[in-house]
Amino acid sequence: MNLNEIIRNRVSVKNYVNEKVDPKLLIELLDDAVYAPNHKMREPWRFILIDQDRKDALKQAFINQVGVIDAKDEDKFDTIFSAPMVIAFIMKLNKNYNDEIEDLQAVGTVVQNFMLLAYEKGIGTAWKTPAFIELDGFKEALGIGTDELVVSLIRVGKTDKFPAPKKRVPAKERVTMY
Ligand SMILES: Cc1cc2nc3c(=O)[nH]c(=O)nc-3n(C[C@H](O)[C@H](O)[C@H](O)COP(=O)(O)O)c2cc1C
């Protein structure tokens, strides 16, 4: 597959087959994904891999922190972490607002790199940003600092069928020649 085919065919995957994904392979993909633009080489990312086996432990830790999980959050939590693996892309909040925006953009490029590389290997992904990722209780349960941001939870796993890509507005309709 050429890069343009990989970009055009990568899609958010909802349904995963019940099969483990080798964390070693995912770390190899992340090792390529980090060749992403980032200002002043701050490399503002880190990653937490959460195997489906650890879902209940994470949920219990979350409950221990917040007392009770809001029903909507619990539903989202259960759905997201039903994937064979979830990767949390984490960055440190930056005291400088402009640097923080740059860092957020840089982490976003790593996420996309990762999803494209995974797709190239036949592995499905989906980007999730449920409201609970902002909760200190969720951050504590995940073992990260409250001075860090969960940029995204990426569901990862093999799938029987990649959905058809959603159509995009052709870029030429959004182009202005200045
Ligand atoms: C920053 C960001 C946050 C997202 N958060 C969610 C989310 O919380 N839930 C969800 O279902 N999809 C989420 N998505 C995925 C988009 O809905 C999805 O990429 C979009 O519908 C295009 O579909 P595709 O990925 O199949 O091309 C998010 C995507 C981005 C870039």
Side-chain angles (χ1 to χ4, degrees):
M1 266 187 294
N2 293 327
L3 182 56
N4 72 318
E5 292 170 315
I6 295 170
I7 290 171
R8 280 174 174 263
N9 288 305
R10 182 235 34 99
V11 284
S12 296
V13 169
K14 264 203 185 108
N15 301 311
Y16 298 89
V17 294
N18 192 11
E19 195 182 311
K20 290 244 167 263
V21 189
D22 185 359
K24 237 178 86 195
L25 169 66
L26 299 182
I27 293 166
E28 276 170 27
L29 299 182
L30 287 169
D31 215 20
D32 290 330
V34 293
Y35 281 78
N38 67 100
H39 201 185
K40 299 197 175 153
M41 289 303 290
R42 285 197 290 272
E43 300 180 70
W45 42 74
R46 71 187 186 101
F47 319 101
I48 299 177
L49 273 63
I50 307 133
D51 189 285
Q52 197 192 57
D53 289 349
R54 302 288 295 149
K55 176 185 169 208
D56 291 344
L58 177 63
K59 189 169 175 182
Q60 192 53 55
F62 188 16
I63 292 168
N64 293 346
Q65 287 295 331
V66 295
V68 62
I69 308 181
D70 172 88
K72 227 168 117 192
D73 284 347
E74 183 169 10
D75 200 41
K76 286 228 160 122
F77 183 99
D78 287 338
T79 305
I80 290 170
F81 288 98
S82 67
M85 188 78 82
V86 173
I87 305 181
F89 285 71
I90 312 292
M91 65 171 253
K92 229 188 181 119
L93 294 167
N94 197 311
K95 287 192 179 74
N96 180 301
Y97 180 67
N98 288 327
D99 288 355
E100 186 168 289
I101 290 175
E102 287 174 356
D103 287 350
L104 187 56
Q105 292 174 86
V107 179
T109 65
V110 175
V111 176
Q112 170 72 344
N113 281 351
F114 171 77
M115 294 198 302
L116 295 176
L117 289 159
Y119 179 69
E120 190 186 31
K121 297 275 184 215
I123 298 169
T125 58
W127 187 324
K128 299 286 165 180
T129 49
F132 64 75
I133 58 175
E134 290 173 33
L135 299 177
D136 286 351
F138 179 71
K139 293 183 185 182
E140 301 275 3
L142 201 55
I144 71 169
T146 51
D147 60 344
E148 291 181 284
L149 182 71
V150 181
V151 177
S152 56
L153 296 175
I154 302 297
R155 304 180 80 206
V156 182
K158 298 207 176 112
T159 181
D160 282 338
K161 199 171 182 298
F162 284 92
K166 296 172 195 156
K167 285 228 173 340
R168 265 48 172 190
V169 176
K172 65 172 187 270
E173 293 181 29
R174 299 275 169 97
V175 168
T176 305
M177 292 299 291
Y178 183 75

